[in-house]
Amino acid sequence: MEHNDKVEQLEQRIRRLEHEVAELKQFEMQRRQASAPRPPVPPQRTAPPSGSPFTPPPPEPHWQGAHVNAPPPNANYGVRPPQPPQQGQYTGAQRPPAQAQQPPYTPPVPKPPKDWEHLIARVWLPRVFIVVLILGIVWGFIAVVKAGYLSEPIRCILGVLVAAVLYWLGEREVSKERPALGKVLLGGSIAILILSIVASYLLYALLPFIFAFLLYIGALVFAVYIALSQRSQSIVGITLVAGYLAPVLIAPTHPNLWIFAGFETIFSAVMLVVAMKYSFRVSYILAFALLHITLGLSMIWYGFSVQNVVAVLVQHAVILAISVLWKQRNTSMQLGVLFTSFAFVGGWLTIYYLDGSETGARWMIAILSLMYSILYASGIQKRTPVGIAYPAMAIFGWFLLLNMIPNFPARMAVILVEGTLAFLLALRFRNKLQLVLACIVYAYAFLATFLVPIERFWSAHTFNWLILLITIAVIYRIIGKFVRSDDKNYGSLYRKRYILMWAEAILGLVYISQLVQVASMSQNADVRHLSLSSAWIIYAILIIVIGMVVQKSKLRIIGILFIFFTLLKIIFIDLPDISIGVRAILFIILGVVGLGLSRLFYKRRDTNGQPPLQQQVISNPAEHHGTDQQHTEGNKDDHPLNDPKPKNNDDLS
């Protein structure tokens, strides 16, 4: 839809809204007049008969000396005299109140059907084929150059002339109210002008660096002027494509990479500022993304260089400065671009690290991580969308730095602690982006720890496993402290936190099993099976005891299931490989443990024969009257056979 059409539709809507507001005002005035109380009518006074000596004083107005709206005392002017019953439907009954006058119904304005012919033929057709035209001109120019028909100065002059013709045609189309085609032609003229200036320096060396640089800046200023005068984002987009790809398309075989990266970086910074200044959202995203595409192409053709890293660092600094200076325009789009830019910077620094510059990459990522940690700690833009990205980028930066430190066996333990702290801060300050990144960092360290078996009893990997178990318990406590079940955003996390309890128990069993196997590796089969089964039994008893202390029924259930799981292991795995003496020992130990645990659950019954949880449910004092008397008389045997009506014997709820 054209700009003029949008303006006209907006004016029509404004006029319609003004008409509706006027009607509403008129209706409100009528309603107030209808509901206003009628002024009281003074009683009629009869004149005295002629010749009477009494002359009444003149009546005073009833409002003198009183509030305007207050009726006189002992007066009932608001009550109408009784009316005789009327014939009809409501005879002898109270009439229903009169319906309030409804405002006139204004039907909603139907949306006009989308004109696909206009959208395709007038909007997208010129945008696509102006790029085709530019590529055709560039390749035709290269073909003519290879044929030797044109000298180098003539080639550049022809490019400038073609840009001037396209500019004239674009202004002509805009003046004749064909703005879509005209704006595309204007953008094409800017693109060819930039191509000609860059070719005159990079390809033919016709201009000195200073003069070529000034012409390049002048072309950018001219492009910005046209885009702003037309208020056109399409011109900015075409300028972006031409400005980024021009040095790549016409670069010589061995270009000066510093000059190449300098052109691209300056162009990126200018277009980012212009796009944010005039709220060109698509252009802002393109100005960020096209630099990385251009540098990626240059890396494929010319190899990786430190100039690429410098270019992306400068662009990221510009994006950060924009997010800090334009506080009133902080949006989710800026948040996405800032965080994605930092992720791309991390990727380029990782390539730089793998290319052999370990120290330089580590220092750069350490400075960035420290900077974002300080920004987060200082509370700058804490409540803005962009401020949400600061802790996430700090977490990501420290994560990359830890992976760049060589010969650090306890790396996964530190990353697990980092992920746990990030999880704590994310729930504390309700930062969803930080929560997602904390989960990713923790999942990475979790898998790296879990998938590598323990080979030595005293080793860094054993320490990593211990930290893994501790951090899972800490995360469980964090969720219980900072989240509630009725939380709209994080309630599901609270309700499903019991999964961490099961994971903690299972991983603890795996950890103990690995340690026992490593410690008994040099022993015979009987000792290995006996040691492992004994460790499982002790671990199950420990879980049940902890569940009783902290009053967690799920922990007690887990311990009981582990007892049964140990029994299944002994029957199906240990029996074929162990001697009869070890079988006897294992079954005796397991039988005693099972019976002892059962007796322990009976002992958990209260002295009045009820489980503690049932006693807590009783809220009426009359229901537990006489409890103190039962305590003074002494306790009978807790066995359910002594009760007249056995109750629930095991408190597993």
Side-chain angles (χ1 to χ4, degrees):
M1 184 177 293
E2 302 296 337
H3 180 70
N4 296 331
D5 297 340
K6 292 182 179 179
V7 173
E8 185 177 354
Q9 286 189 2
L10 183 61
E11 291 177 352
Q12 292 177 358
R13 292 181 181 178
I14 292 174
R15 286 196 293 269
R16 186 163 54 251
L17 289 174
E18 290 177 349
H19 179 68
E20 292 179 358
V21 170
E23 289 183 347
L24 289 174
K25 287 183 178 179
Q26 184 178 3
F27 166 72
E28 182 66 19
M29 292 177 61
Q30 293 176 357
R31 188 185 65 80
R32 290 183 179 180
Q33 292 175 0
S35 61
R38 296 181 179 180
V41 180
Q44 298 291 334
R45 296 173 181 255
T46 57
S50 59
S52 174
F54 174 73
T55 303
E60 296 181 358
H62 68 277
W63 46 266
Q64 289 185 356
H67 193 271
V68 175
N69 295 327
N74 300 328
N76 195 9
Y77 297 106
V79 179
R80 295 184 179 181
Q83 299 292 335
Q86 300 178 359
Q87 299 294 329
Q89 182 180 2
Y90 302 102
T91 302
Q94 185 179 3
R95 288 181 173 272
Q99 296 290 335
Q101 184 180 0
Q102 298 292 334
Y105 173 73
T106 303
V109 180
K111 293 184 179 180
K114 185 170 290 187
D115 190 352
W116 289 103
E117 180 182 3
H118 169 81
L119 184 64
I120 296 174
R122 296 187 180 182
V123 178
W124 285 107
L125 192 67
R127 292 181 183 180
V128 172
F129 283 92
I130 192 64
V131 178
V132 175
L133 176 63
I134 293 173
L135 291 176
I137 291 175
V138 171
W139 288 332
F141 180 77
I142 294 174
V144 172
V145 169
K146 288 184 177 180
Y149 294 118
L150 298 175
S151 61
E152 295 176 354
I154 298 298
R155 300 166 193 170
C156 299
I157 293 174
L158 281 178
V160 176
L161 291 177
V162 171
V165 171
L166 288 178
Y167 176 77
W168 176 75
L169 291 175
E171 289 287 352
R172 183 170 175 269
E173 294 297 322
V174 171
S175 63
K176 292 187 176 182
E177 297 185 355
R178 292 189 285 268
L181 179 60
K183 292 175 182 178
V184 169
L185 292 173
L186 290 174
S189 69
I190 296 169
I192 293 178
L193 178 62
I194 293 175
L195 282 170
S196 303
I197 294 173
V198 174
S200 65
Y201 175 75
L202 289 181
L203 202 59
Y204 307 125
L206 295 176
L207 301 174
F209 173 75
I210 298 298
F211 191 57
F213 180 75
L214 293 176
L215 287 177
Y216 181 74
I217 298 298
L220 293 182
V221 173
F222 183 62
V224 172
Y225 168 75
I226 295 176
L228 299 182
S229 62
Q230 299 294 332
R231 303 296 295 182
S232 173
Q233 193 164 197
S234 60
I235 296 178
V236 178
I238 295 171
T239 305
L240 283 168
V241 174
Y244 276 119
L245 297 181
V248 179
L249 292 175
I250 61 177
T253 306
H254 300 287
N256 189 328
L257 294 179
W258 281 110
I259 296 177
F260 169 78
F263 273 114
E264 299 289 353
T265 306
I266 293 172
F267 182 75
S268 172
V270 171
M271 300 312 292
L272 282 170
V273 173
V274 170
M276 180 52 60
K277 175 68 175 177
Y278 296 95
S279 301
F280 291 156
R281 296 170 59 90
V282 177
S283 299
Y284 189 79
I285 297 173
L286 284 176
F288 153 70
L290 286 175
L291 176 66
H292 295 275
I293 295 174
T294 305
L295 295 178
L297 293 175
S298 69
M299 185 178 67
I300 294 174
W301 293 341
Y302 310 121
F304 180 80
S305 62
V306 68
Q307 291 84 349
N308 296 343
V309 177
V310 174
V312 297
L313 285 173
V314 172
Q315 187 201 52
H316 184 72
V318 172
I319 293 174
L320 177 61
I322 288 174
S323 67
V324 173
L325 296 177
W326 270 284
K327 297 180 180 180
Q328 69 278 11
R329 298 189 182 182
N330 282 338
T331 60
S332 57
M333 182 271 296
Q334 271 189 282
L335 165 64
V337 172
L338 182 63
F339 183 75
T340 308
S341 173
F342 185 78
F344 274 78
V345 169
W348 283 103
L349 289 175
T350 303
I351 298 174
Y352 188 46
Y353 172 80
L354 298 176
D355 192 58
S357 301
E358 294 90 353
T359 305
R362 285 197 295 267
W363 273 106
M364 290 181 185
I365 197 68
I367 292 172
L368 288 174
S369 303
L370 183 61
M371 178 185 68
Y372 281 111
S373 299
I374 294 173
L375 285 174
Y376 175 59
S378 62
I380 297 177
Q381 297 180 309
K382 185 177 181 180
R383 300 298 180 184
T384 63
V386 173
I388 297 174
Y390 293 160
M393 288 185 289
I395 294 167
F396 184 63
W398 293 120
F399 170 72
L400 288 178
L401 182 62
L402 288 172
N403 282 285
M404 289 180 181
I405 299 176
N407 302 324
F408 186 25
R411 178 187 297 113
M412 292 304 132
V414 179
I415 295 177
L416 286 169
V417 173
E418 179 195 2
T420 305
L421 291 176
F423 198 88
L424 168 64
L425 295 175
L427 291 183
R428 174 66 177 82
F429 298 105
R430 294 298 192 266
N431 190 331
K432 288 187 176 180
L433 178 62
Q434 184 180 355
L435 181 64
V436 171
L437 197 62
C439 292
I440 293 174
V441 170
Y442 191 88
Y444 168 82
F446 170 81
L447 293 176
T449 303
F450 178 75
L451 297 178
V452 178
I454 297 176
E455 298 179 353
R456 292 183 300 161
F457 192 87
W458 300 106
S459 63
H461 196 56
T462 304
F463 178 72
N464 293 340
W465 264 92
L466 181 61
I467 297 299
L468 174 63
L469 296 175
I470 294 174
T471 52
I472 291 177
V474 171
I475 290 175
Y476 178 85
R477 296 293 299 170
I478 289 171
I479 296 175
K481 180 176 178 59
F482 293 103
V483 184
R484 293 292 176 262
S485 59
D486 57 348
D487 196 316
K488 182 173 65 175
N489 296 322
Y490 303 94
S492 60
L493 190 65
Y494 179 85
R495 291 187 293 270
K496 296 178 181 178
R497 75 190 193 283
Y498 66 88
I499 298 176
L500 294 174
M501 187 185 299
W502 284 91
E504 174 83 3
I506 295 173
L507 289 173
L509 186 64
V510 174
Y511 180 58
I512 291 175
S513 301
Q514 293 186 80
L515 293 180
V516 172
Q517 288 178 349
V518 170
S520 62
M521 188 180 300
S522 59
Q523 305 297 324
N524 55 31
D526 289 345
V527 175
R528 290 200 302 270
H529 287 288
L530 181 61
S531 301
L532 186 59
S533 299
S534 301
W536 284 19
I537 294 172
I538 295 172
Y539 182 69
I541 295 173
L542 182 62
I543 289 179
I544 293 174
V545 172
I546 293 175
M548 290 181 175
V549 172
V550 300
Q551 297 183 358
K552 293 290 185 181
S553 62
K554 290 184 175 63
L555 279 178
R556 300 193 294 270
I557 293 173
I558 292 172
I560 294 171
L561 291 178
F562 280 175
I563 291 292
F564 284 105
F565 187 62
T566 305
L567 177 61
L568 294 176
K569 171 188 173 294
I570 293 174
I571 294 174
F572 292 102
I573 298 177
D574 295 345
L575 286 182
D577 297 332
I578 60 177
S579 61
I580 190 169
V582 177
R583 294 181 191 177
I585 294 174
L586 285 177
F587 273 79
I588 291 172
I589 294 175
L590 196 59
V592 171
V593 168
L595 294 175
L597 289 176
S598 177
R599 181 61 179 171
L600 182 63
F601 276 95
Y602 274 95
K603 283 294 185 182
R604 292 192 67 253
R605 297 171 59 86
D606 198 4
T607 55
N608 59 357
Q610 290 183 342
L613 210 60
Q614 290 182 353
Q615 188 179 9
Q616 291 176 5
V617 173
I618 299 175
S619 58
N620 188 1
E623 296 181 4
H624 53 88
H625 178 69
T627 305
D628 297 335
Q629 183 179 0
Q630 293 177 3
H631 281 285
T632 56
E633 291 177 356
N635 299 327
K636 297 183 179 180
D637 189 11
D638 289 334
H639 199 277
L641 295 179
N642 295 331
D643 295 335
K645 293 182 180 180
K647 300 177 182 179
N648 187 16
N649 297 324
D650 51 345
D651 179 21
L652 298 180
S653 57

